[in-house]
Amino acid sequence: MSNLKKIPVVSKEYLLPFIVITSLFSLWGFANDITNPMVAAFGTVMEISTAKAALVQLAFYGGYATMAIPAALFVRKYSYKKGILLGLSLYAVGALLFFPAAEFEVFGFFLGSLYILTFGLAFLETTANPFILSMGDSETATQRLNLAQAFNPIGSLFGMFVASKFILVALDSDKRNEAGELIFSTLSDAKKAVIRTHDLEIIRNPYVILGFVVIAMLILIAVIKMPQRTKVEKHSSAADSFKRLFKNGKYKEGVLAQLFYVAAQIMCWTFIIQYAGNLGIAKSEAQNYNIVAMSIFLGSRFISTFLMKYINSKKLLMIFALCAMTTISGVILIEGITGLYLLVATSAFMSLMFPTIYGIALDGLTEEDTALGAAGLVMAIVGGALMPILQGLMIDMESIGPFSGVNFSFILPFICFCFIALYGYRTLKFYK
């Protein structure tokens, strides 16, 4: 333990590239959390069910599943830097496609734009995470990734802020009468058409601006010298790497744990608006609870990174997952504002999960297996595409037994946290 304290998390030789690559974590954090509230926004303005609106998450996180392995094979053949540059290019294209999507006013066009955007994010996450792990001593790799990932929620907070202050609050489709009921559904088709055009332009603008920001970042990274990946004299085939990964129990369980974590995170953050809406809270005000949740998440990420100096990361993962199970139990069982507070509090315990699972699962892999291993963990982000749709179907049911559909739907994140706690325990007891 004392030896771990003496090893620098980031040495001076890697400081500049570490800072530059870490800034990318904020970029995809922004994309994630400006998009989550769009499920509720599209549901209203396009007059579709919660389950269909959740296709936003299927398109967004489905892009990860589609492109993670191609990204890993690209990085394996070329370099981390080239993978990042291609990722930023795809990210910019997807964001800029929001302009024609708003012009055509077709929900499927928006889904396609998000799908392409996340091709870019798949490249970035498949590349940036193992790149950060490689920037220093392996003993501090998980701690280093937690530090880099701590800047992800900074971008997320900014995305939530933009969604709350510049999108949701400006949507005419979300205006309510004195009784707190939506007015949009009672309007004539002609008035709805005018409002729909206005609101889709409001949704469009931040993504188009984001596209130009990403282009600027692409140019910056293109001109900065990055450390070269350690050369391996002889590469085995990708098929051999897949075979080795498939035989690695800690890695395979890590992929499943990551899938369940991302599903839980997206469900907790996407449907906080529906949970608050069930209490009569408007979307723009409900998004403020998301901002508080992300602020707690950010603070807890730095705290958990510090705690890893003293507590085994596997044990800390198990403890945090058990705490998340406790708060989510309250979300399910307690009606009213207390349940909402507990949903917000759950973010404190989600904070360390993604990078810690990532670091544990990749620990001990060879250099040539790491890229494909990272791809599997990025593909696990597809959990954020599938389970929110199931949760949306449960919410649409309005009531399930003695529970409201919204409250009971959080049984899904509870199940996810159960598996993560089990993974923490198994890696602590059975894997070195």
Side-chain angles (χ1 to χ4, degrees):
M1 192 66 68
S2 59
N3 184 49
L4 184 60
K5 294 181 190 176
K6 294 177 182 177
I7 301 172
V9 177
V10 184
S11 60
K12 291 182 180 179
E13 63 179 310
Y14 291 120
L15 186 58
L16 179 59
F18 176 83
I19 292 171
V20 173
I21 299 304
T22 294
S23 68
L24 298 177
F25 288 70
S26 295
L27 268 184
W28 71 67
F30 181 90
N32 285 333
D33 288 282
I34 196 174
T35 301
N36 287 338
M38 296 307 104
V39 173
F42 278 121
T44 301
V45 74
M46 304 302 286
E47 296 186 287
I48 53 181
S49 68
T50 302
K52 186 173 181 180
L55 290 174
V56 165
Q57 301 295 33
L58 179 62
F60 193 93
Y61 294 98
Y64 283 99
T66 304
M67 198 53 65
I69 288 179
L73 294 173
F74 181 90
V75 171
R76 182 183 170 96
K77 183 175 181 179
Y78 297 103
S79 67
Y80 286 131
K81 182 173 180 176
K82 288 181 180 178
I84 287 171
L85 293 177
L86 181 54
L88 289 170
S89 300
L90 290 167
Y91 188 167
V93 169
L96 294 174
L97 281 174
F98 262 67
F99 189 88
E103 292 297 308
F104 285 102
E105 299 186 3
V106 176
F107 183 53
F109 203 148
F110 283 103
L111 296 180
S113 302
L114 286 170
Y115 191 50
I116 293 170
L117 187 155
T118 51
F119 285 176
L121 298 189
F123 264 88
L124 293 181
E125 295 213 38
T126 300
T127 305
N129 285 298
F131 202 5
I132 290 293
L133 288 172
S134 72
M135 290 183 185
D137 195 286
S138 61
E139 290 292 320
T140 56
T142 298
Q143 191 178 357
R144 184 163 51 254
L145 184 57
N146 267 275
L147 177 59
Q149 284 274 357
F151 291 86
N152 175 270
I154 293 176
S156 296
L157 272 172
F158 188 51
M160 289 180 174
F161 176 80
V162 170
S164 176
K165 303 303 179 184
F166 296 97
I167 299 179
L168 298 180
V169 73
L171 296 179
D172 289 341
S173 61
D174 197 43
K175 297 292 188 292
R176 297 172 182 264
N177 58 26
E178 293 180 356
E181 299 168 337
L182 287 171
I183 300 171
F184 185 69
S185 60
T186 66
L187 300 176
S188 66
D189 289 343
K191 289 183 179 179
K192 285 181 180 178
V194 173
I195 290 175
R196 185 173 294 113
T197 298
H198 169 270
D199 285 5
L200 292 179
E201 288 176 357
I202 294 294
I203 292 170
R204 172 202 72 190
N205 291 339
Y207 285 92
V208 173
I209 294 170
L210 176 61
F212 288 109
V213 171
V214 172
I215 290 171
M217 196 66 182
L218 186 156
I219 294 169
L220 175 64
I221 291 178
V223 300
I224 289 178
K225 185 177 181 180
M226 291 289 171
Q228 295 297 310
R229 184 175 47 190
T230 302
K231 295 292 183 182
V232 179
E233 290 187 5
K234 184 179 180 181
H235 283 288
S236 60
S237 67
D240 289 336
S241 288
F242 279 121
K243 289 177 183 177
R244 286 191 293 270
L245 291 170
F246 189 75
K247 292 177 181 178
N248 188 320
K250 182 178 69 172
Y251 172 75
K252 287 190 297 183
E253 291 176 29
V255 171
L256 287 174
Q258 200 72 290
L259 185 150
F260 282 116
Y261 166 67
V262 175
Q265 174 191 289
I266 299 308
M267 287 187 286
C268 287
W269 289 347
T270 298
F271 294 112
I272 197 170
I273 292 180
Q274 276 79 0
Y275 196 97
N278 200 42
L279 303 177
I281 300 172
K283 291 185 183 69
S284 57
E285 185 181 347
Q287 180 65 1
N288 292 331
Y289 287 95
N290 249 333
I291 293 173
V292 173
M294 183 55 67
S295 300
I296 292 171
F297 182 91
L298 173 60
S300 181
R301 176 66 64 78
F302 283 107
I303 292 169
S304 60
T305 300
F306 173 78
L307 290 175
M308 283 182 184
K309 290 184 177 181
Y310 308 99
I311 303 174
N312 184 290
S313 60
K314 299 169 184 177
K315 180 183 288 187
L316 206 57
L317 176 66
M318 180 181 69
I319 292 170
F320 273 45
L322 291 171
C323 292
M325 289 165 59
T326 302
T327 55
I328 285 293
S329 295
V331 173
I332 298 167
L333 298 172
I334 301 172
E335 298 276 352
I337 198 69
T338 302
L340 181 58
Y341 290 157
L342 287 170
L343 180 54
V344 170
T346 303
S347 290
F349 307 115
M350 293 195 296
S351 61
L352 67 69
M353 292 182 181
F354 185 93
T356 302
I357 294 169
Y358 201 103
I360 292 171
L362 292 184
D363 182 46
L365 296 186
T366 64
E367 174 75 17
E368 57 187 329
D369 290 347
T370 297
L372 287 173
L377 289 162
V378 171
M379 282 186 70
I381 293 174
V382 75
L386 303 175
M387 294 190 76
I389 295 176
L390 180 56
Q391 188 175 13
L393 289 169
M394 295 174 75
I395 291 172
D396 286 337
M397 292 172 67
E398 296 186 359
S399 64
I400 301 174
F403 302 98
S404 74
V406 173
N407 284 64
F408 189 77
S409 72
F410 283 90
I411 192 70
L412 297 178
F414 179 85
I415 293 169
C416 294
F417 291 130
C418 288
F419 188 89
I420 295 165
L422 180 62
Y423 181 66
Y425 174 79
R426 285 180 57 77
T427 55
L428 186 64
K429 295 294 183 181
F430 305 116
Y431 297 115
K432 293 183 179 180

